[in-house]
Amino acid sequence: LRRSDGFVRYALAVQYHGSSFLGFSWQGDQHEDRILDNGTDLRGYRTVEGRLREALSDLVGEDNFENIQVSSRTDRGVHAIQNTCHVDIRPRTARTAPLLSSSSSWDPARLWKGINYHLSRQQTITPWDNKNDNHLPKMLVNAPMNQLRVLTAKVAPDQMKNAFYDENHQQSSSNPEFIDWNARFSATERTYVYRILHTTPTTTRDDDDDNDDESGSFFGIPFEHDLSWRLGGEEKRTKYLNIENMKMGASHLVGTHDFSSFRAAHCQRQSPVVTMNEIDVFAQPYNGASGLLGLGGQSSSSLSSGGGGDDVVQLITIRVKGQSFLYRQIRNMVGCLVEVGCGRMDPVDVQGLLAERDRRAAPRMAPAHGLFLVNVQHGDFGL
């Protein structure tokens, strides 16, 4: 249908700050950028797809694009260093000839530049009444939505192998060997990283204070309030994290398993059986903005040493690779590994959780803002 109407499918790689959006998937205009019927004030808040739709409408016209599909539908608060999606776009009319390539379809470079231009012009509306805005700085009244950008744009491959094609049965229109390329179903590997900042009680307690409370409090760490899960400090249950135990617990999750115990409600995937290619746990002294993901740092068997300077806070990163995941599976696995690290579970207990196949048996879920979608691979097609 899209070919007969002249549509061309484009693949986009996008990057965004998750806390600035209501997740990726568009929720309809009645659920974005407005006060909801229950009183929730969402003025100025949109989904990533909602922002892309607005930019595409400004660039190509609202009737000239359709069928935005993303490879990974991230929740509100989850960040993406690189997510991927596709969109079908109809070539423009003759009056826009300067923007057209020789094939009369949008040139990917101009499409990339045009979407980013219109994204940069989008503005949020602060939740204050207009009559009271005069005393506010202009940058607060109309703050640009620069927390989203398109990294690359390419013409998508024409077709992909149908994963459900059965060579033993005759090919038919309902069971073709090849289907239209799709950003979601063509993904061959997704990489996520979860970031934890751990503050130990020996580094948060003032040794010159006579107060016997050793729980301490969190240090102020700029840039990190919505980019990591803060543990330790006043949370006595996570004073110490044993990284070696977390690694052993993670090793039980590698491979093909029934992950029902780590599957959130409303998961749309038919089967809970998923294959985890890799799960790695790293730990190193936190060095501020110099190392956002902190992969490859030297690990420590126990993060309980005190001191000052760079040793005040430890950065723990959990990297997970797989072709696909269940709804909120990674955050549920991270919550479990933290319980292993603080000693409330033994590493071997992870095997027991898998065997139970019951979400109610597993620990609490880790918060969204520590999770980053780092990369989505599509076989030989690079974005």
Side-chain angles (χ1 to χ4, degrees), residues 197-200 204 215-221 229-235 238 312-313:
L197 288 182
H198 184 261
T199 309
T200 59
T204 58
S215 63
S217 60
F218 286 129
F219 280 87
I221 303 179
W229 187 12
R230 299 288 301 278
L231 294 176
E234 294 179 350
E235 280 203 72
T238 56
V312 168
V313 181

Side-chain angles (χ1 to χ4, degrees), residues 316-336:
I316 302 166
T317 51
I318 301 174
R319 181 177 61 191
V320 182
K321 293 185 178 183
Q323 183 176 2
S324 59
F325 302 92
L326 303 175
Y327 183 44
R328 294 180 174 175
Q329 177 187 345
I330 295 176
R331 290 166 59 191
N332 287 326
M333 292 193 305
V334 170
C336 174

Side-chain angles (χ1 to χ4, degrees), residues 2 7 9-10 49 53 65-70 85-88 180-182:
R2 65 184 177 91
F7 282 88
R9 179 159 294 182
Y10 293 87
E49 183 181 348
R53 283 175 172 271
F65 74 93
E66 61 180 31
N67 194 28
I68 297 177
Q69 293 192 34
V70 67
C85 64
H86 75 248
V87 58
D88 298 336
D180 286 350
W181 188 91
N182 184 291

Side-chain angles (χ1 to χ4, degrees), residues 19 75-79 192-197 224-231 235 237-238 328-336 338-339 359 363-372:
S19 301
D75 282 343
R76 179 177 184 176
V78 177
H79 314 285
Y192 284 88
V193 166
Y194 197 96
R195 303 177 70 248
I196 298 171
L197 288 182
E224 291 289 353
H225 74 282
D226 63 351
L227 297 176
S228 61
W229 187 12
R230 299 288 301 278
L231 294 176
E235 280 203 72
R237 61 187 297 278
T238 56
R328 294 180 174 175
Q329 177 187 345
I330 295 176
R331 290 166 59 191
N332 287 326
M333 292 193 305
V334 170
C336 174
V338 167
E339 292 296 289
R359 176 69 193 116
R364 63 171 177 167
M365 180 174 64
H369 56 261
L371 184 59
F372 288 74

Side-chain angles (χ1 to χ4, degrees), residues 188-192 249-260 262-263 269 271-280 318-334 337 350 354 371:
T188 54
E189 186 174 75
R190 296 169 172 89
T191 300
Y192 284 88
S251 68
H252 297 300
L253 299 172
V254 178
T256 302
H257 306 282
D258 184 325
F259 282 92
S260 294
F262 301 95
R263 182 185 195 179
R269 186 184 175 99
S271 172
V273 177
V274 175
T275 300
M276 296 293 98
N277 297 337
E278 295 179 24
I279 304 180
D280 299 306
I318 301 174
R319 181 177 61 191
V320 182
K321 293 185 178 183
Q323 183 176 2
S324 59
F325 302 92
L326 303 175
Y327 183 44
R328 294 180 174 175
Q329 177 187 345
I330 295 176
R331 290 166 59 191
N332 287 326
M333 292 193 305
V334 170
L337 294 179
V350 177
L354 286 171
L371 184 59

Side-chain angles (χ1 to χ4, degrees), residues 11-224:
L12 308 178
V14 295
Q15 183 179 83
Y16 48 89
H17 177 255
S19 301
S20 302
F21 299 95
L22 302 173
F24 186 95
S25 297
W26 187 51
Q27 300 175 13
D29 291 333
Q30 67 274 23
H31 298 295
E32 300 184 19
D33 196 17
R34 64 179 60 246
I35 299 177
L36 303 184
D37 293 339
N38 63 6
T40 303
D41 192 347
L42 294 180
R43 286 178 292 177
Y45 286 95
R46 299 284 301 277
T47 59
V48 175
E49 183 181 348
R51 291 287 177 186
L52 287 173
R53 283 175 172 271
E54 182 180 336
L56 283 165
S57 181
D58 292 337
L59 178 65
V60 307
E62 62 181 351
D63 296 326
N64 292 317
F65 74 93
E66 61 180 31
N67 194 28
I68 297 177
Q69 293 192 34
V70 67
S71 64
S72 301
R73 292 176 291 180
T74 53
D75 282 343
R76 179 177 184 176
V78 177
H79 314 285
I81 294 178
Q82 179 173 304
N83 200 349
T84 57
C85 64
H86 75 248
V87 58
D88 298 336
I89 301 177
R90 180 186 287 118
R92 298 301 301 270
T93 59
R95 63 184 177 85
T96 58
L99 295 178
L100 299 178
S101 68
S102 58
S103 63
S104 297
S105 60
W106 283 86
D107 175 69
R110 292 186 178 274
L111 183 65
W112 163 77
K113 185 179 295 185
I115 296 175
N116 281 322
Y117 170 77
H118 286 286
L119 285 174
S120 70
R121 292 174 61 85
Q122 294 174 2
Q123 295 179 328
T124 61
I125 302 175
T126 55
W128 296 289
D129 292 334
N130 291 333
K131 64 181 180 180
N132 296 324
D133 283 346
N134 292 333
H135 70 283
L136 295 171
K138 185 176 181 181
M139 64 177 294
L140 293 181
V141 177
N142 293 306
M145 273 302 299
N146 290 333
Q147 301 298 327
L148 164 65
R149 68 167 174 155
V150 176
L151 299 174
T152 57
K154 292 185 177 182
V155 175
D158 191 41
Q159 292 184 320
M160 57 179 282
K161 183 79 172 181
N162 181 4
F164 301 101
Y165 175 69
D166 189 349
E167 296 181 353
N168 296 322
H169 291 77
Q170 185 176 4
Q171 183 175 343
S172 66
S173 59
S174 61
N175 183 37
E177 182 176 1
F178 295 94
I179 58 176
D180 286 350
W181 188 91
N182 184 291
R184 178 182 177 187
F185 298 112
S186 67
T188 54
E189 186 174 75
R190 296 169 172 89
T191 300
Y192 284 88
V193 166
Y194 197 96
R195 303 177 70 248
I196 298 171
L197 288 182
H198 184 261
T199 309
T200 59
T202 53
T203 57
T204 58
R205 179 171 177 262
D206 187 349
D207 293 333
D208 295 329
D209 197 338
D210 293 332
N211 188 350
D212 291 333
D213 181 10
E214 293 188 353
S215 63
S217 60
F218 286 129
F219 280 87
I221 303 179
F223 316 117
E224 291 289 353

